[in-house]
Amino acid sequence: MIKSALVLIALMLVAGRAEAGFTLPYGSQGNELDVTVIGEKNTEGPLVLWLSNQYGDTIGEVALAHALARRGATVWMVDLLNSLLLPRSNNAVRDLTGDGVRALIEAGVKTGRPVALVGLDRMAVPILRGMRLWQVEAKDTHAVAGAVLLFPNLYRGTPVAGQEPSFLGIVPATNMPVMILEPERGVNRNRLGSLLDSLQNAGSPTYGWIIPDVRDYFPMHLKTPQNATLKNLPDLMKPQEALAMQALPAQILRGITMLTDSPHPSTVLPVNEVLEKPIQQEFGLIQVSPKKAPNFALPDLAGQIRRLDGGAAADHSAVTIVNFWATWCPHCIEEIPSLNELSKQYPASKLRVLSINFKESRNHVADFMKKFDVSFPVLIDRQGDVAAQWGAFAFPSSFLVDNKGRIRYSVNAAIDWNTPKVKAIIDQLIQDEATGTTAGK
């Protein structure tokens, strides 16, 4: 099967097609992958196996693939979900076994070219699984340089807000070389160290590279094809995104070189199947064991420093909602009106709302907030340090804090704050503090 697919590539090259392609059958269930070949005439550079992201909008990824081809690489692009007729969902990607990726690697290795895998976000999961499956039967693990992962999401799912997320079992079972390209403004930038530690503890030669001043999914923000050149990007994207896109092909190729020169363990690590199972996200306000909330001092949109403890002049009798959000998060925006309506129904001495924006500039947030007439302060967490201290994994994430500074409830998704159920919880916290009792005790 693999041989016939490679013959098909050769026939396409003879025909002079600008962009070749082939179908790769694999497994006993009749599965097959549709592979697009970019840079098919290149013979000296690496073979890049690019697994398209779960959303299927590959304009930016295709542009990057063409840029790699202009630098001598050959790129095989595969949309796993489309090839396997699977829904475009986070769960569908997380459930991929890696068999398709292994088949792609096997075909790539037969070309005799240095092979590297590239993918974004959750596509890192089947990439690592497939690389490990190939490693099990590989005669020479150096045939695959390793994986270059852009802002990888290798977590089991969204935990209760404030709890540490856990990695899928494939992470501590990966010891092949890995390069991680993490946006400076990305959601998981502050967790990069823990991911690198987990991979390195497994024996993986692992490298981290911060992409300055952009956030996750920046390649997806390119909506106009730019396959001939990346020079026009400043007219189509934000300046910092254009710079990041233009630098990315060279960074990927440099990363592949580093991976190629790294040690390649032949020992295959076992996978903890319990950790491979995703966790189910819990919705709504979740009561948690009371714990001291981290204090903070952040500027609001007027430049005034706000603290959780309020400072010397604070009225400490107020229950506080601490809400982490971002302007790029649709669900964050959806809950602003109900949060605002709730805050208007209580005096400041009983309830206050502190809205903390995640990693965006004051000017950008100030312009955005002109769309809303809110009665609560909006604070700027430019580096995301406070969000990391509080354990905000998904956005929005919110916490209910009593007047003793203890977190009592959290929610890791948008909710309608202006409901009898939510107000009953807040009223109970206010009453408990007035009487000196503790809810749930």
Side-chain angles (χ1 to χ4, degrees):
M1 289 292 188
I2 293 175
K3 182 178 179 180
S4 63
L6 297 178
V7 170
L8 179 58
I9 296 177
L11 292 175
M12 289 180 174
L13 299 185
V14 171
R17 289 183 56 175
E19 198 170 275
F22 65 97
T23 297
L24 176 65
Y26 74 93
S28 59
Q29 304 299 317
N31 291 326
E32 57 185 27
L33 302 178
D34 299 319
V35 183
T36 299
V37 182
I38 300 172
E40 65 277 3
K41 295 182 180 180
N42 297 331
T43 58
E44 300 298 326
L47 174 61
V48 176
L49 310 181
W50 192 302
L51 285 300
S52 299
N53 80 94
Q54 67 260 33
Y55 299 111
D57 181 8
T58 60
I59 290 175
E61 291 178 283
V62 170
L64 290 170
H66 279 271
L68 289 172
R70 289 193 293 273
R71 289 165 172 78
T74 299
V75 183
W76 289 2
M77 296 199 75
V78 176
D79 184 339
L80 283 176
L81 297 182
N82 186 62
S83 290
L84 300 175
L85 303 178
L86 294 173
R88 295 200 176 278
S89 69
N90 297 338
N91 289 338
V93 177
R94 198 179 285 124
D95 290 342
L96 288 170
T97 62
D99 290 320
V101 175
R102 173 178 57 183
L104 192 63
I105 294 173
E106 290 172 347
V109 168
K110 288 181 180 295
T111 68
R113 305 273 295 276
V115 174
L117 296 97
V118 177
L120 285 62
D121 193 37
R122 289 178 176 83
M123 205 52 64
V125 176
I127 285 177
L128 293 189
R129 287 174 178 163
M131 192 162 59
R132 181 188 171 278
L133 289 175
W134 170 83
Q135 185 188 15
V136 170
E137 299 180 356
K139 295 180 179 179
D140 179 12
T141 54
H142 287 82
V144 171
V148 178
L149 307 178
L150 281 74
F151 45 95
N153 185 331
L154 289 158
Y155 297 97
R156 297 177 64 199
T158 302
V160 173
Q163 293 183 359
E164 279 299 310
S166 57
F167 293 116
L168 287 161
I170 188 59
V171 175
T174 295
N175 59 5
M176 287 285 283
V178 175
M179 165 71 77
I180 298 173
L181 303 180
E182 190 72 34
E184 182 182 13
R185 304 295 175 195
V187 170
N188 291 316
R189 163 63 185 91
N190 299 76
R191 296 185 179 88
L192 176 59
S194 62
L195 176 56
L196 294 175
D197 286 344
S198 183
L199 289 166
Q200 290 169 352
N201 289 339
S204 169
T206 311
Y207 309 90
W209 198 325
I210 303 300
I211 305 176
D213 205 28
V214 293
R215 58 184 176 86
D216 300 336
Y217 294 108
F218 69 92
M220 303 298 99
H221 299 164
L222 179 63
K223 303 300 183 183
T224 304
Q226 295 290 296
N227 297 342
T229 177
L230 296 182
K231 292 182 179 179
N232 296 330
L233 293 184
D235 298 327
L236 303 169
M237 306 176 74
K238 295 178 180 179
Q240 63 271 27
E241 292 180 340
L243 288 174
M245 284 284 285
Q246 290 168 335
L248 200 51
Q251 290 173 332
I252 291 174
L253 292 176
R254 200 176 311 166
I256 292 173
T257 299
M258 294 175 65
L259 298 178
T260 301
D261 294 339
S262 299
H264 286 62
S266 58
T267 302
V268 181
L269 300 179
V271 177
N272 185 329
E273 296 298 337
V274 174
L275 294 180
E276 279 287 78
K277 299 183 183 300
I279 61 174
Q280 296 299 316
Q281 183 174 352
E282 296 186 57
F283 294 95
L285 280 171
I286 305 297
Q287 187 173 10
V288 299
S289 298
K291 64 177 181 179
K292 186 68 175 177
N295 197 19
F296 53 76
L298 293 173
D300 63 17
L301 296 181
Q304 180 182 347
I305 299 299
R306 306 270 186 165
R307 300 169 57 91
L308 176 65
D309 63 16
D315 184 339
H316 293 287
S317 65
V319 171
T320 304
I321 298 174
V322 179
N323 170 250
F324 292 92
W325 70 287
T327 65
W328 44 260
C329 164
H331 296 302
C332 299
I333 311 310
E334 289 173 4
E335 72 174 356
I336 290 178
S338 69
L339 194 59
N340 192 45
E341 286 302 314
L342 175 71
S343 68
K344 292 179 180 179
Q345 297 178 39
Y346 292 85
S349 62
K350 298 297 182 183
L351 176 71
R352 61 176 178 161
V353 175
L354 295 177
S355 172
I356 301 180
N357 177 268
F358 179 74
K359 289 189 176 182
E360 296 181 281
S361 71
R362 188 192 68 81
N363 289 340
H364 172 75
V365 177
D367 287 341
F368 182 85
M369 291 307 296
K370 291 177 182 177
K371 304 174 184 178
F372 303 92
D373 181 21
V374 297
S375 59
F376 49 79
V378 177
L379 316 184
I380 303 298
D381 184 17
R382 188 68 171 117
Q383 302 303 322
D385 293 336
V386 174
Q389 290 169 358
W390 281 65
F393 178 76
F395 291 89
S397 283
S398 300
F399 301 84
L400 264 176
V401 182
D402 65 25
N403 77 335
K404 292 183 174 63
R406 300 172 302 179
I407 298 174
R408 302 286 291 277
Y409 289 83
S410 69
V411 55
N412 58 16
I415 63 172
D416 184 349
W417 288 91
N418 192 29
T419 65
K421 183 176 181 179
V422 172
K423 286 185 281 190
I425 292 174
I426 292 173
D427 291 341
Q428 185 64 53
L429 282 178
I430 294 173
Q431 179 182 342
D432 289 343
E433 299 309 328
T435 60
T437 60
T438 302
K441 296 292 186 179

